[in-house]
Amino acid sequence: MLKRRNPRTPDHSRNLAADGGALSMSHNDSRSFFSLSQLVLSAGQIKPSPALKHSKITYFEVEIVDVQSKKQICIVDKVPPASTLLDVKHKFHKACPQWYPSRVGLQLERNGPFLKDSVSIQSLAVSSIVTLYFTDLGQQVGWTTFFLTEYTGPLLIYLLFYIRLSTIYDQVESRKNFRHPVVHLACFCHCLHYIRHLLETLFVHKFSEGHTPLKNMIKGCAFYWGFTSWIAYYINHPRYTPPSFGHKQVSYAALAFLMCEAGNHFINVALAHQTNSEGNRTCFPSPTYNPFTWLFLLVSCPNYTYEAGSWISFTVMTQTLPVGIFAFLMVIQMSLWAQKKHKLYLKRFYPEVRRKAAMIPIIF
């Protein structure tokens, strides 16, 4: 018998051959793609990285231009990219000795804000030449000197009136009239207030970098020293009359004064612990076990609240018009300072401050 030949065998073999050829071609293509990718990777980046914008700049040139006349004052050259604005001010002082660094105000734009000393030059640079506008800030003093001078004057001035110098009061009248106990108590409270301020300036407060114009210190000293002279003259006058409600009015007011002074001190200590070495607030203070710090739950600036309470209590204790006028002006001034600080706190610590008042709950 003849065997039947399977007609599918050649076709099947052809299909296998075709499949094998396809596999061989696919394998060759993958090897070609791998070789091409290796070639591309070995060639490196096609375009330079845009992040290295100033990588080739070794030094910057800082052009100092007068903000009023728009005339060039000098060019500070060879400024390294890591330099700060304070370094530029020192080099500018070497070129122009009449303007020391704390007196120099530099702006990136004519109507822009003054730049901080900690700003790096590289962050301001668009090219290798940086143009800054110069403003003479006038003669400057440090913040510690400012507050020590402002608070030392009232302390000494009040004591001069308390001892009743012959050049101020009539000595015959001073010997005849008996001093009411509130006069001695007022001297103690007034001195305690300014001694606390002086000690906190030296050992508690952390002042930010920078200075303040000398004219600001002169205005502050004129205000504090002038009012202290007026207040001390009336309280220590031989014809001074004690408060209307006598011992109770003096006692309660003195107790309120001492509580406000203690509260002001503990608030200042709490604020000092929440600031860094540059005087910047790191977080908003929270109340502690100390009851005097619980006022943080109601207001964002309790130090001004206690300061206002001290002068209002001193007014009630002495019952004199000069103290009342001074306390009224201090409350207005501190409310303005508190509103300004409250707005800054809202920007930085919104969740903690949003439901608090600035200085006095509900009113301010």
Side-chain angles (χ1 to χ4, degrees):
M1 292 177 65
L2 295 176
K3 295 182 179 180
R4 179 179 291 182
R5 188 176 55 181
N6 192 352
R8 296 180 181 177
T9 302
D11 296 335
H12 180 66
S13 61
R14 283 196 300 268
N15 292 336
L16 288 176
D19 292 341
L23 290 173
S24 177
M25 290 177 65
S26 175
H27 181 67
N28 293 333
D29 291 342
S30 63
R31 292 183 60 184
S32 300
F33 177 76
F34 178 76
S35 301
L36 179 61
S37 63
Q38 290 294 325
L39 180 62
V40 172
L41 290 176
S42 62
Q45 295 179 350
I46 299 175
K47 294 182 179 180
S49 177
L52 303 176
K53 186 176 181 180
H54 300 304
S55 59
K56 296 182 179 179
I57 299 178
T58 308
Y59 295 104
F60 290 99
E61 290 186 357
V62 180
E63 181 187 19
I64 308 296
V65 179
D66 186 78
V67 71
Q68 299 294 337
S69 62
K70 299 181 183 179
K71 294 181 179 179
Q72 183 188 97
I73 300 177
C74 72
I75 293 180
V76 181
D77 56 354
K78 294 185 178 180
V79 178
S83 298
T84 62
L85 207 65
L86 183 61
D87 299 328
V88 175
K89 288 183 178 181
H90 282 291
K91 291 187 176 182
F92 178 61
H93 174 58
K94 291 181 179 180
C96 304
Q98 67 271 27
W99 292 309
Y100 49 90
S102 61
R103 187 169 182 166
V104 176
L106 296 177
Q107 303 161 275
L108 195 60
E109 299 176 356
R110 290 189 64 196
N111 297 325
F114 290 108
L115 300 173
K116 294 183 178 180
D117 291 344
S118 58
V119 175
S120 64
I121 294 299
Q122 191 171 10
S123 64
L124 303 175
V126 179
S127 63
S128 60
I129 301 177
V130 182
T131 301
L132 297 177
Y133 294 93
F134 162 76
T135 300
D136 184 9
L137 300 178
Q139 193 171 356
Q140 305 286 302
V141 293
W143 284 110
T144 303
T145 304
F146 176 89
F147 289 113
L148 290 178
T149 306
E150 193 174 67
Y151 296 143
T152 303
L155 179 64
L156 299 178
I157 290 172
Y158 196 97
L159 292 175
L160 291 177
F161 283 90
Y162 176 73
I163 62 178
R164 290 182 176 178
L165 295 176
S166 59
T167 56
I168 301 175
Y169 302 110
D170 182 68
Q171 291 300 305
V172 178
E173 192 174 13
S174 299
R175 292 169 186 168
K176 288 182 180 180
N177 294 333
F178 171 75
R179 288 197 186 193
H180 194 274
V182 70
V183 175
H184 304 291
L185 183 60
C187 180
F188 170 77
C189 291
H190 191 275
C191 293
L192 176 67
H193 177 79
Y194 285 102
I195 288 175
R196 178 184 63 81
H197 273 303
L198 290 172
L199 293 177
E200 289 177 352
T201 300
L202 293 173
F203 304 109
V204 176
H205 294 301
K206 297 179 181 179
F207 299 107
S208 59
E209 61 179 14
H211 300 73
T212 184
L214 178 62
K215 60 181 181 181
N216 289 346
M217 189 180 74
I218 295 175
K219 289 190 294 185
C221 291
F223 177 78
Y224 280 98
W225 296 14
F227 263 103
T228 300
S229 301
W230 192 22
I231 291 170
Y233 176 80
Y234 274 88
I235 295 177
N236 296 286
H237 198 280
R239 297 182 183 181
Y240 168 75
T241 55
S244 303
F245 296 97
H247 180 70
K248 288 186 177 181
Q249 179 178 345
V250 174
S251 300
Y252 289 136
L255 181 61
F257 177 87
L258 295 176
M259 291 181 63
C260 289
E261 287 295 301
N264 203 339
H265 172 70
F266 288 120
I267 292 296
N268 288 331
V269 171
L271 292 174
H273 288 164
Q274 300 295 327
T275 55
N276 54 24
S277 59
E278 296 180 354
N280 298 322
R281 188 72 45 79
T282 56
C283 62
F284 190 79
S286 57
T288 63
Y289 62 89
N290 189 338
F292 289 103
T293 63
W294 295 350
L295 200 56
F296 275 120
L297 296 171
L298 301 176
V299 296
S300 59
C301 301
N303 52 328
Y304 294 140
T305 307
Y306 282 122
E307 184 78 9
S310 294
W311 286 112
I312 293 173
S313 302
F314 195 77
T315 302
V316 176
M317 181 178 64
T318 58
Q319 195 174 312
T320 54
L321 180 63
V323 182
I325 295 175
F326 180 74
F328 176 73
L329 295 176
M330 288 294 292
V331 169
I332 293 177
Q333 180 62 71
M334 285 184 291
S335 65
L336 296 176
W337 289 340
Q339 287 288 344
K340 185 177 180 180
K341 283 192 175 182
H342 186 69
K343 291 180 180 179
L344 295 176
Y345 291 160
L346 285 175
K347 294 180 180 179
R348 297 187 60 188
F349 316 108
Y350 176 74
E352 297 90 345
V353 186
R354 63 191 179 101
R355 294 185 178 181
K356 294 180 176 66
M359 190 178 82
I360 300 177
I362 300 174
I363 299 177
F364 294 104

